[in-house]
Amino acid sequence: MKPIGLLGGMSWESTAVYYRHLNERMRDLRGGLASAELVVRSFDFARIVALQKKGAWDEAGETLAEAACGLEAAGAKVIIICTNTMHRLAGQVASATTIPLLHIVDATAEKIVAAGYGRPLLLATRYTMEQDFYKGRLKQKYGLDALVPDEADRTIVHDVIFDEICQGTISPQSQATYQRIIEKGAAQGADCVILGCTEIGLLIGNLPTAVPPFDSTLLHADAAFDFALADEAA
């Protein structure tokens, strides 16, 4: 297995999902004591959030790029950024190393297209829902015309991510609110929903939704796992 480099801690709640999922897949594949070969760089999320709020994206990009170089030096053969929002900086991170970076939009969009959907509702942080780096890639590379909630619901989605899920709180009220927002998106024409923040699956991953969900966290981890084993026999 090629060692996978994880840029994590943004937040650690979802990085733990990546870590568990990758190791569970390896155990399921090979059994016994088998586990995934991983190199992890976990950030203090409070520091990253402060940069986001200031709009200091260049500084944040330099921070992630430096960490990516460290992962490569530690033996990683592929890198994943364990957060949707920080894929705003994917190009800067990818250009800092000589190893591939697997983009979370690609991992998610390929499954949506393969399943025959074309109009996803995007639930994510405000940065991801409102800036073009995510929706633009969905449209330009995959022809997916993403919807986002209205301003009031975008605020709710964003605040629940930072104030609750990233801090370990799973609220039944917030679960119901997200289900309502998805139902509203379906009524407006969405045929599926992207769980486009890596924590959202922790909130609603096992709940019924009005349209099929695509959990970017699990799909991204699966893409990394498959890449890491692509040249090996099981």
PDB file of all heavy atoms in Angstrom, residues 2-40:
ATOM      1  N   LYS A   2       0.562   2.174  -0.893  1.00  0.00           N
ATOM      2  CA  LYS A   2       1.255   3.456  -0.856  1.00  0.00           C
ATOM      3  C   LYS A   2       0.805   4.217   0.391  1.00  0.00           C
ATOM      4  O   LYS A   2      -0.399   4.329   0.650  1.00  0.00           O
ATOM      5  CB  LYS A   2       0.926   4.289  -2.086  1.00  0.00           C
ATOM      6  CG  LYS A   2       1.282   3.670  -3.425  1.00  0.00           C
ATOM      7  CD  LYS A   2       0.945   4.649  -4.543  1.00  0.00           C
ATOM      8  CE  LYS A   2       1.136   4.004  -5.910  1.00  0.00           C
ATOM      9  NZ  LYS A   2       0.033   3.042  -6.212  1.00  0.00           N
ATOM     10  N   PRO A   3       1.717   4.773   1.165  1.00  0.00           N
ATOM     11  CA  PRO A   3       1.308   5.561   2.331  1.00  0.00           C
ATOM     12  C   PRO A   3       0.515   6.795   1.911  1.00  0.00           C
ATOM     13  O   PRO A   3       0.882   7.499   0.968  1.00  0.00           O
ATOM     14  CB  PRO A   3       2.633   5.951   2.986  1.00  0.00           C
ATOM     15  CG  PRO A   3       3.604   4.919   2.518  1.00  0.00           C
ATOM     16  CD  PRO A   3       3.180   4.588   1.121  1.00  0.00           C
ATOM     17  N   ILE A   4      -0.595   7.039   2.591  1.00  0.00           N
ATOM     18  CA  ILE A   4      -1.467   8.180   2.320  1.00  0.00           C
ATOM     19  C   ILE A   4      -1.154   9.284   3.325  1.00  0.00           C
ATOM     20  O   ILE A   4      -1.141   9.044   4.537  1.00  0.00           O
ATOM     21  CB  ILE A   4      -2.947   7.784   2.442  1.00  0.00           C
ATOM     22  CG1 ILE A   4      -3.285   6.638   1.486  1.00  0.00           C
ATOM     23  CG2 ILE A   4      -3.864   8.990   2.177  1.00  0.00           C
ATOM     24  CD1 ILE A   4      -4.654   6.018   1.734  1.00  0.00           C
ATOM     25  N   GLY A   5      -0.929  10.485   2.847  1.00  0.00           N
ATOM     26  CA  GLY A   5      -0.704  11.634   3.709  1.00  0.00           C
ATOM     27  C   GLY A   5      -1.997  12.383   3.938  1.00  0.00           C
ATOM     28  O   GLY A   5      -2.674  12.768   2.973  1.00  0.00           O
ATOM     29  N   LEU A   6      -2.354  12.590   5.199  1.00  0.00           N
ATOM     30  CA  LEU A   6      -3.589  13.290   5.561  1.00  0.00           C
ATOM     31  C   LEU A   6      -3.259  14.655   6.158  1.00  0.00           C
ATOM     32  O   LEU A   6      -2.537  14.729   7.158  1.00  0.00           O
ATOM     33  CB  LEU A   6      -4.396  12.482   6.587  1.00  0.00           C
ATOM     34  CG  LEU A   6      -5.231  11.300   6.110  1.00  0.00           C
ATOM     35  CD1 LEU A   6      -4.343  10.167   5.582  1.00  0.00           C
ATOM     36  CD2 LEU A   6      -6.108  10.768   7.235  1.00  0.00           C
ATOM     37  N   LEU A   7      -3.777  15.696   5.542  1.00  0.00           N
ATOM     38  CA  LEU A   7      -3.755  17.025   6.147  1.00  0.00           C
ATOM     39  C   LEU A   7      -5.061  17.160   6.920  1.00  0.00           C
ATOM     40  O   LEU A   7      -6.120  17.363   6.335  1.00  0.00           O
ATOM     41  CB  LEU A   7      -3.633  18.121   5.079  1.00  0.00           C
ATOM     42  CG  LEU A   7      -2.282  18.198   4.363  1.00  0.00           C
ATOM     43  CD1 LEU A   7      -2.351  19.199   3.224  1.00  0.00           C
ATOM     44  CD2 LEU A   7      -1.171  18.576   5.329  1.00  0.00           C
ATOM     45  N   GLY A   8      -5.002  17.006   8.226  1.00  0.00           N
ATOM     46  CA  GLY A   8      -6.203  16.893   9.024  1.00  0.00           C
ATOM     47  C   GLY A   8      -6.304  17.900  10.152  1.00  0.00           C
ATOM     48  O   GLY A   8      -5.616  18.913  10.175  1.00  0.00           O
ATOM     49  N   GLY A   9      -7.211  17.599  11.063  1.00  0.00           N
ATOM     50  CA  GLY A   9      -7.454  18.484  12.199  1.00  0.00           C
ATOM     51  C   GLY A   9      -8.350  19.658  11.876  1.00  0.00           C
ATOM     52  O   GLY A   9      -8.439  20.599  12.675  1.00  0.00           O
ATOM     53  N   MET A  10      -9.059  19.591  10.734  1.00  0.00           N
ATOM     54  CA  MET A  10      -9.849  20.753  10.292  1.00  0.00           C
ATOM     55  C   MET A  10     -11.284  20.318   9.979  1.00  0.00           C
ATOM     56  O   MET A  10     -11.738  20.433   8.869  1.00  0.00           O
ATOM     57  CB  MET A  10      -9.179  21.380   9.057  1.00  0.00           C
ATOM     58  CG  MET A  10      -7.752  21.850   9.328  1.00  0.00           C
ATOM     59  SD  MET A  10      -6.865  22.390   7.836  1.00  0.00           S
ATOM     60  CE  MET A  10      -6.471  20.840   7.048  1.00  0.00           C
ATOM     61  N   SER A  11     -12.019  19.793  10.942  1.00  0.00           N
ATOM     62  CA  SER A  11     -11.672  19.584  12.336  1.00  0.00           C
ATOM     63  C   SER A  11     -11.219  18.147  12.570  1.00  0.00           C
ATOM     64  O   SER A  11     -11.386  17.293  11.699  1.00  0.00           O
ATOM     65  CB  SER A  11     -12.902  19.860  13.213  1.00  0.00           C
ATOM     66  OG  SER A  11     -13.881  18.835  13.028  1.00  0.00           O
ATOM     67  N   TRP A  12     -10.724  17.866  13.791  1.00  0.00           N
ATOM     68  CA  TRP A  12     -10.295  16.505  14.094  1.00  0.00           C
ATOM     69  C   TRP A  12     -11.482  15.542  14.146  1.00  0.00           C
ATOM     70  O   TRP A  12     -11.307  14.334  13.965  1.00  0.00           O
ATOM     71  CB  TRP A  12      -9.487  16.446  15.380  1.00  0.00           C
ATOM     72  CG  TRP A  12     -10.224  16.674  16.672  1.00  0.00           C
ATOM     73  CD1 TRP A  12     -10.263  17.810  17.411  1.00  0.00           C
ATOM     74  CD2 TRP A  12     -11.011  15.709  17.394  1.00  0.00           C
ATOM     75  NE1 TRP A  12     -11.025  17.625  18.551  1.00  0.00           N
ATOM     76  CE2 TRP A  12     -11.492  16.343  18.562  1.00  0.00           C
ATOM     77  CE3 TRP A  12     -11.360  14.375  17.181  1.00  0.00           C
ATOM     78  CZ2 TRP A  12     -12.305  15.690  19.499  1.00  0.00           C
ATOM     79  CZ3 TRP A  12     -12.177  13.720  18.113  1.00  0.00           C
ATOM     80  CH2 TRP A  12     -12.632  14.381  19.252  1.00  0.00           C
ATOM     81  N   GLU A  13     -12.685  16.075  14.369  1.00  0.00           N
ATOM     82  CA  GLU A  13     -13.864  15.209  14.396  1.00  0.00           C
ATOM     83  C   GLU A  13     -14.003  14.449  13.080  1.00  0.00           C
ATOM     84  O   GLU A  13     -14.290  13.243  13.070  1.00  0.00           O
ATOM     85  CB  GLU A  13     -15.126  16.032  14.659  1.00  0.00           C
ATOM     86  CG  GLU A  13     -15.177  16.725  16.009  1.00  0.00           C
ATOM     87  CD  GLU A  13     -15.594  15.802  17.137  1.00  0.00           C
ATOM     88  OE1 GLU A  13     -16.003  14.661  16.846  1.00  0.00           O
ATOM     89  OE2 GLU A  13     -15.525  16.234  18.305  1.00  0.00           O
ATOM     90  N   SER A  14     -13.812  15.124  11.972  1.00  0.00           N
ATOM     91  CA  SER A  14     -13.939  14.446  10.683  1.00  0.00           C
ATOM     92  C   SER A  14     -12.649  13.734  10.281  1.00  0.00           C
ATOM     93  O   SER A  14     -12.697  12.710   9.586  1.00  0.00           O
ATOM     94  CB  SER A  14     -14.359  15.425   9.591  1.00  0.00           C
ATOM     95  OG  SER A  14     -13.416  16.457   9.422  1.00  0.00           O
ATOM     96  N   THR A  15     -11.498  14.231  10.729  1.00  0.00           N
ATOM     97  CA  THR A  15     -10.254  13.515  10.450  1.00  0.00           C
ATOM     98  C   THR A  15     -10.296  12.127  11.076  1.00  0.00           C
ATOM     99  O   THR A  15      -9.798  11.153  10.506  1.00  0.00           O
ATOM    100  CB  THR A  15      -9.042  14.300  10.976  1.00  0.00           C
ATOM    101  OG1 THR A  15      -9.040  15.607  10.388  1.00  0.00           O
ATOM    102  CG2 THR A  15      -7.738  13.608  10.616  1.00  0.00           C
ATOM    103  N   ALA A  16     -10.930  12.026  12.243  1.00  0.00           N
ATOM    104  CA  ALA A  16     -11.090  10.718  12.882  1.00  0.00           C
ATOM    105  C   ALA A  16     -11.923   9.785  12.019  1.00  0.00           C
ATOM    106  O   ALA A  16     -11.696   8.562  12.006  1.00  0.00           O
ATOM    107  CB  ALA A  16     -11.731  10.887  14.262  1.00  0.00           C
ATOM    108  N   VAL A  17     -12.892  10.340  11.280  1.00  0.00           N
ATOM    109  CA  VAL A  17     -13.702   9.518  10.369  1.00  0.00           C
ATOM    110  C   VAL A  17     -12.827   8.989   9.240  1.00  0.00           C
ATOM    111  O   VAL A  17     -12.894   7.800   8.883  1.00  0.00           O
ATOM    112  CB  VAL A  17     -14.890  10.320   9.815  1.00  0.00           C
ATOM    113  CG1 VAL A  17     -15.673   9.497   8.792  1.00  0.00           C
ATOM    114  CG2 VAL A  17     -15.807  10.784  10.946  1.00  0.00           C
ATOM    115  N   TYR A  18     -12.007   9.863   8.660  1.00  0.00           N
ATOM    116  CA  TYR A  18     -11.060   9.414   7.629  1.00  0.00           C
ATOM    117  C   TYR A  18     -10.191   8.285   8.169  1.00  0.00           C
ATOM    118  O   TYR A  18     -10.026   7.240   7.521  1.00  0.00           O
ATOM    119  CB  TYR A  18     -10.143  10.563   7.211  1.00  0.00           C
ATOM    120  CG  TYR A  18     -10.667  11.502   6.172  1.00  0.00           C
ATOM    121  CD1 TYR A  18     -11.343  12.655   6.522  1.00  0.00           C
ATOM    122  CD2 TYR A  18     -10.435  11.273   4.813  1.00  0.00           C
ATOM    123  CE1 TYR A  18     -11.795  13.556   5.562  1.00  0.00           C
ATOM    124  CE2 TYR A  18     -10.869  12.164   3.841  1.00  0.00           C
ATOM    125  CZ  TYR A  18     -11.547  13.305   4.221  1.00  0.00           C
ATOM    126  OH  TYR A  18     -11.982  14.184   3.270  1.00  0.00           O
ATOM    127  N   TYR A  19      -9.596   8.495   9.325  1.00  0.00           N
ATOM    128  CA  TYR A  19      -8.654   7.526   9.899  1.00  0.00           C
ATOM    129  C   TYR A  19      -9.333   6.178  10.115  1.00  0.00           C
ATOM    130  O   TYR A  19      -8.806   5.124   9.730  1.00  0.00           O
ATOM    131  CB  TYR A  19      -8.105   8.078  11.215  1.00  0.00           C
ATOM    132  CG  TYR A  19      -7.016   7.227  11.825  1.00  0.00           C
ATOM    133  CD1 TYR A  19      -5.688   7.365  11.396  1.00  0.00           C
ATOM    134  CD2 TYR A  19      -7.309   6.294  12.803  1.00  0.00           C
ATOM    135  CE1 TYR A  19      -4.685   6.576  11.947  1.00  0.00           C
ATOM    136  CE2 TYR A  19      -6.310   5.498  13.353  1.00  0.00           C
ATOM    137  CZ  TYR A  19      -4.999   5.643  12.929  1.00  0.00           C
ATOM    138  OH  TYR A  19      -4.012   4.870  13.481  1.00  0.00           O
ATOM    139  N   ARG A  20     -10.513   6.207  10.712  1.00  0.00           N
ATOM    140  CA  ARG A  20     -11.224   4.965  10.975  1.00  0.00           C
ATOM    141  C   ARG A  20     -11.639   4.278   9.671  1.00  0.00           C
ATOM    142  O   ARG A  20     -11.472   3.064   9.521  1.00  0.00           O
ATOM    143  CB  ARG A  20     -12.457   5.234  11.845  1.00  0.00           C
ATOM    144  CG  ARG A  20     -13.321   3.995  12.091  1.00  0.00           C
ATOM    145  CD  ARG A  20     -14.484   4.291  13.013  1.00  0.00           C
ATOM    146  NE  ARG A  20     -14.008   4.550  14.364  1.00  0.00           N
ATOM    147  CZ  ARG A  20     -13.710   3.588  15.237  1.00  0.00           C
ATOM    148  NH1 ARG A  20     -13.837   2.316  14.908  1.00  0.00           N
ATOM    149  NH2 ARG A  20     -13.299   3.897  16.448  1.00  0.00           N
ATOM    150  N   HIS A  21     -12.179   5.058   8.732  1.00  0.00           N
ATOM    151  CA  HIS A  21     -12.684   4.467   7.497  1.00  0.00           C
ATOM    152  C   HIS A  21     -11.557   3.821   6.695  1.00  0.00           C
ATOM    153  O   HIS A  21     -11.721   2.704   6.172  1.00  0.00           O
ATOM    154  CB  HIS A  21     -13.385   5.536   6.658  1.00  0.00           C
ATOM    155  CG  HIS A  21     -14.116   4.994   5.471  1.00  0.00           C
ATOM    156  ND1 HIS A  21     -15.247   4.215   5.569  1.00  0.00           N
ATOM    157  CD2 HIS A  21     -13.871   5.115   4.134  1.00  0.00           C
ATOM    158  CE1 HIS A  21     -15.678   3.881   4.355  1.00  0.00           C
ATOM    159  NE2 HIS A  21     -14.850   4.412   3.465  1.00  0.00           N
ATOM    160  N   LEU A  22     -10.421   4.488   6.593  1.00  0.00           N
ATOM    161  CA  LEU A  22      -9.290   3.932   5.850  1.00  0.00           C
ATOM    162  C   LEU A  22      -8.793   2.636   6.502  1.00  0.00           C
ATOM    163  O   LEU A  22      -8.504   1.654   5.812  1.00  0.00           O
ATOM    164  CB  LEU A  22      -8.159   4.954   5.764  1.00  0.00           C
ATOM    165  CG  LEU A  22      -8.417   6.136   4.829  1.00  0.00           C
ATOM    166  CD1 LEU A  22      -7.437   7.273   5.107  1.00  0.00           C
ATOM    167  CD2 LEU A  22      -8.329   5.703   3.363  1.00  0.00           C
ATOM    168  N   ASN A  23      -8.712   2.628   7.812  1.00  0.00           N
ATOM    169  CA  ASN A  23      -8.252   1.430   8.500  1.00  0.00           C
ATOM    170  C   ASN A  23      -9.280   0.303   8.447  1.00  0.00           C
ATOM    171  O   ASN A  23      -8.919  -0.879   8.310  1.00  0.00           O
ATOM    172  CB  ASN A  23      -7.892   1.768   9.945  1.00  0.00           C
ATOM    173  CG  ASN A  23      -6.529   2.409  10.042  1.00  0.00           C
ATOM    174  OD1 ASN A  23      -5.519   1.796   9.732  1.00  0.00           O
ATOM    175  ND2 ASN A  23      -6.489   3.663  10.461  1.00  0.00           N
ATOM    176  N   GLU A  24     -10.556   0.648   8.523  1.00  0.00           N
ATOM    177  CA  GLU A  24     -11.588  -0.382   8.415  1.00  0.00           C
ATOM    178  C   GLU A  24     -11.594  -1.014   7.025  1.00  0.00           C
ATOM    179  O   GLU A  24     -11.791  -2.225   6.893  1.00  0.00           O
ATOM    180  CB  GLU A  24     -12.953   0.209   8.746  1.00  0.00           C
ATOM    181  CG  GLU A  24     -13.146   0.471  10.229  1.00  0.00           C
ATOM    182  CD  GLU A  24     -14.486   1.089  10.561  1.00  0.00           C
ATOM    183  OE1 GLU A  24     -15.148   1.640   9.648  1.00  0.00           O
ATOM    184  OE2 GLU A  24     -14.868   1.034  11.753  1.00  0.00           O
ATOM    185  N   ARG A  25     -11.378  -0.204   6.007  1.00  0.00           N
ATOM    186  CA  ARG A  25     -11.331  -0.753   4.653  1.00  0.00           C
ATOM    187  C   ARG A  25     -10.167  -1.719   4.488  1.00  0.00           C
ATOM    188  O   ARG A  25     -10.298  -2.780   3.857  1.00  0.00           O
ATOM    189  CB  ARG A  25     -11.243   0.371   3.613  1.00  0.00           C
ATOM    190  CG  ARG A  25     -12.577   1.040   3.345  1.00  0.00           C
ATOM    191  CD  ARG A  25     -12.668   1.568   1.929  1.00  0.00           C
ATOM    192  NE  ARG A  25     -12.493   0.540   0.915  1.00  0.00           N
ATOM    193  CZ  ARG A  25     -12.425   0.788  -0.397  1.00  0.00           C
ATOM    194  NH1 ARG A  25     -12.544   2.042  -0.829  1.00  0.00           N
ATOM    195  NH2 ARG A  25     -12.261  -0.183  -1.264  1.00  0.00           N
ATOM    196  N   MET A  26      -9.019  -1.373   5.076  1.00  0.00           N
ATOM    197  CA  MET A  26      -7.876  -2.273   4.970  1.00  0.00           C
ATOM    198  C   MET A  26      -8.129  -3.573   5.744  1.00  0.00           C
ATOM    199  O   MET A  26      -7.804  -4.670   5.277  1.00  0.00           O
ATOM    200  CB  MET A  26      -6.617  -1.583   5.481  1.00  0.00           C
ATOM    201  CG  MET A  26      -5.363  -2.455   5.401  1.00  0.00           C
ATOM    202  SD  MET A  26      -5.015  -3.078   3.737  1.00  0.00           S
ATOM    203  CE  MET A  26      -4.231  -1.630   3.025  1.00  0.00           C
ATOM    204  N   ARG A  27      -8.717  -3.465   6.918  1.00  0.00           N
ATOM    205  CA  ARG A  27      -9.032  -4.670   7.695  1.00  0.00           C
ATOM    206  C   ARG A  27     -10.042  -5.541   6.958  1.00  0.00           C
ATOM    207  O   ARG A  27      -9.911  -6.775   6.909  1.00  0.00           O
ATOM    208  CB  ARG A  27      -9.564  -4.291   9.063  1.00  0.00           C
ATOM    209  CG  ARG A  27      -9.827  -5.497   9.974  1.00  0.00           C
ATOM    210  CD  ARG A  27     -10.180  -5.065  11.365  1.00  0.00           C
ATOM    211  NE  ARG A  27     -11.378  -4.235  11.389  1.00  0.00           N
ATOM    212  CZ  ARG A  27     -11.761  -3.511  12.435  1.00  0.00           C
ATOM    213  NH1 ARG A  27     -11.026  -3.498  13.543  1.00  0.00           N
ATOM    214  NH2 ARG A  27     -12.861  -2.781  12.387  1.00  0.00           N
ATOM    215  N   ASP A  28     -11.056  -4.898   6.353  1.00  0.00           N
ATOM    216  CA  ASP A  28     -12.045  -5.660   5.594  1.00  0.00           C
ATOM    217  C   ASP A  28     -11.401  -6.359   4.395  1.00  0.00           C
ATOM    218  O   ASP A  28     -11.792  -7.475   4.023  1.00  0.00           O
ATOM    219  CB  ASP A  28     -13.163  -4.740   5.107  1.00  0.00           C
ATOM    220  CG  ASP A  28     -14.056  -4.237   6.236  1.00  0.00           C
ATOM    221  OD1 ASP A  28     -13.998  -4.811   7.344  1.00  0.00           O
ATOM    222  OD2 ASP A  28     -14.788  -3.259   6.008  1.00  0.00           O
ATOM    223  N   LEU A  29     -10.420  -5.695   3.796  1.00  0.00           N
ATOM    224  CA  LEU A  29      -9.779  -6.245   2.607  1.00  0.00           C
ATOM    225  C   LEU A  29      -8.846  -7.396   2.942  1.00  0.00           C
ATOM    226  O   LEU A  29      -8.882  -8.454   2.295  1.00  0.00           O
ATOM    227  CB  LEU A  29      -9.001  -5.144   1.883  1.00  0.00           C
ATOM    228  CG  LEU A  29      -8.228  -5.559   0.633  1.00  0.00           C
ATOM    229  CD1 LEU A  29      -9.195  -5.984  -0.469  1.00  0.00           C
ATOM    230  CD2 LEU A  29      -7.333  -4.423   0.151  1.00  0.00           C
ATOM    231  N   ARG A  30      -8.030  -7.213   3.986  1.00  0.00           N
ATOM    232  CA  ARG A  30      -6.946  -8.174   4.246  1.00  0.00           C
ATOM    233  C   ARG A  30      -7.092  -8.928   5.559  1.00  0.00           C
ATOM    234  O   ARG A  30      -6.394  -9.913   5.779  1.00  0.00           O
ATOM    235  CB  ARG A  30      -5.600  -7.452   4.188  1.00  0.00           C
ATOM    236  CG  ARG A  30      -5.295  -6.971   2.780  1.00  0.00           C
ATOM    237  CD  ARG A  30      -3.936  -6.381   2.610  1.00  0.00           C
ATOM    238  NE  ARG A  30      -3.674  -6.098   1.194  1.00  0.00           N
ATOM    239  CZ  ARG A  30      -2.750  -5.276   0.753  1.00  0.00           C
ATOM    240  NH1 ARG A  30      -1.965  -4.635   1.610  1.00  0.00           N
ATOM    241  NH2 ARG A  30      -2.570  -5.084  -0.534  1.00  0.00           N
ATOM    242  N   GLY A  31      -8.004  -8.472   6.411  1.00  0.00           N
ATOM    243  CA  GLY A  31      -8.295  -9.215   7.619  1.00  0.00           C
ATOM    244  C   GLY A  31      -7.229  -9.120   8.692  1.00  0.00           C
ATOM    245  O   GLY A  31      -6.205  -8.436   8.537  1.00  0.00           O
ATOM    246  N   GLY A  32      -7.505  -9.785   9.782  1.00  0.00           N
ATOM    247  CA  GLY A  32      -6.531  -9.874  10.859  1.00  0.00           C
ATOM    248  C   GLY A  32      -6.122  -8.530  11.413  1.00  0.00           C
ATOM    249  O   GLY A  32      -6.953  -7.676  11.739  1.00  0.00           O
ATOM    250  N   LEU A  33      -4.814  -8.322  11.511  1.00  0.00           N
ATOM    251  CA  LEU A  33      -4.260  -7.095  12.079  1.00  0.00           C
ATOM    252  C   LEU A  33      -3.892  -6.063  11.029  1.00  0.00           C
ATOM    253  O   LEU A  33      -3.233  -5.066  11.340  1.00  0.00           O
ATOM    254  CB  LEU A  33      -3.026  -7.439  12.927  1.00  0.00           C
ATOM    255  CG  LEU A  33      -3.270  -8.381  14.107  1.00  0.00           C
ATOM    256  CD1 LEU A  33      -1.964  -8.698  14.816  1.00  0.00           C
ATOM    257  CD2 LEU A  33      -4.272  -7.775  15.087  1.00  0.00           C
ATOM    258  N   ALA A  34      -4.311  -6.273   9.788  1.00  0.00           N
ATOM    259  CA  ALA A  34      -3.964  -5.343   8.721  1.00  0.00           C
ATOM    260  C   ALA A  34      -4.572  -3.966   8.981  1.00  0.00           C
ATOM    261  O   ALA A  34      -5.720  -3.845   9.406  1.00  0.00           O
ATOM    262  CB  ALA A  34      -4.451  -5.874   7.378  1.00  0.00           C
ATOM    263  N   SER A  35      -3.799  -2.925   8.719  1.00  0.00           N
ATOM    264  CA  SER A  35      -4.288  -1.547   8.835  1.00  0.00           C
ATOM    265  C   SER A  35      -3.621  -0.697   7.762  1.00  0.00           C
ATOM    266  O   SER A  35      -2.653  -1.122   7.124  1.00  0.00           O
ATOM    267  CB  SER A  35      -4.019  -0.971  10.231  1.00  0.00           C
ATOM    268  OG  SER A  35      -2.656  -1.050  10.569  1.00  0.00           O
ATOM    269  N   ALA A  36      -4.146   0.494   7.570  1.00  0.00           N
ATOM    270  CA  ALA A  36      -3.684   1.365   6.493  1.00  0.00           C
ATOM    271  C   ALA A  36      -2.376   2.053   6.860  1.00  0.00           C
ATOM    272  O   ALA A  36      -2.126   2.364   8.030  1.00  0.00           O
ATOM    273  CB  ALA A  36      -4.752   2.407   6.186  1.00  0.00           C
ATOM    274  N   GLU A  37      -1.547   2.311   5.849  1.00  0.00           N
ATOM    275  CA  GLU A  37      -0.316   3.071   6.044  1.00  0.00           C
ATOM    276  C   GLU A  37      -0.642   4.546   5.834  1.00  0.00           C
ATOM    277  O   GLU A  37      -0.952   4.975   4.720  1.00  0.00           O
ATOM    278  CB  GLU A  37       0.759   2.607   5.072  1.00  0.00           C
ATOM    279  CG  GLU A  37       1.232   1.192   5.345  1.00  0.00           C
ATOM    280  CD  GLU A  37       2.512   0.857   4.605  1.00  0.00           C
ATOM    281  OE1 GLU A  37       3.403   1.722   4.527  1.00  0.00           O
ATOM    282  OE2 GLU A  37       2.600  -0.268   4.099  1.00  0.00           O
ATOM    283  N   LEU A  38      -0.568   5.320   6.910  1.00  0.00           N
ATOM    284  CA  LEU A  38      -0.990   6.714   6.898  1.00  0.00           C
ATOM    285  C   LEU A  38       0.074   7.599   7.545  1.00  0.00           C
ATOM    286  O   LEU A  38       0.741   7.193   8.495  1.00  0.00           O
ATOM    287  CB  LEU A  38      -2.307   6.885   7.664  1.00  0.00           C
ATOM    288  CG  LEU A  38      -3.465   5.960   7.267  1.00  0.00           C
ATOM    289  CD1 LEU A  38      -4.629   6.149   8.222  1.00  0.00           C
ATOM    290  CD2 LEU A  38      -3.891   6.241   5.827  1.00  0.00           C
ATOM    291  N   VAL A  39       0.191   8.809   7.012  1.00  0.00           N
ATOM    292  CA  VAL A  39       1.007   9.846   7.633  1.00  0.00           C
ATOM    293  C   VAL A  39       0.071  11.026   7.879  1.00  0.00           C
ATOM    294  O   VAL A  39      -0.557  11.520   6.936  1.00  0.00           O
ATOM    295  CB  VAL A  39       2.181  10.282   6.733  1.00  0.00           C
ATOM    296  CG1 VAL A  39       3.076  11.282   7.467  1.00  0.00           C
ATOM    297  CG2 VAL A  39       2.991   9.088   6.257  1.00  0.00           C
ATOM    298  N   VAL A  40      -0.046  11.458   9.121  1.00  0.00           N
ATOM    299  CA  VAL A  40      -1.054  12.449   9.484  1.00  0.00           C
ATOM    300  C   VAL A  40      -0.390  13.717  10.011  1.00  0.00           C
ATOM    301  O   VAL A  40       0.490  13.657  10.874  1.00  0.00           O
ATOM    302  CB  VAL A  40      -2.018  11.901  10.555  1.00  0.00           C
ATOM    303  CG1 VAL A  40      -3.090  12.938  10.887  1.00  0.00           C
ATOM    304  CG2 VAL A  40      -2.655  10.597  10.087  1.00  0.00           C
TER     305      VAL A  40
END
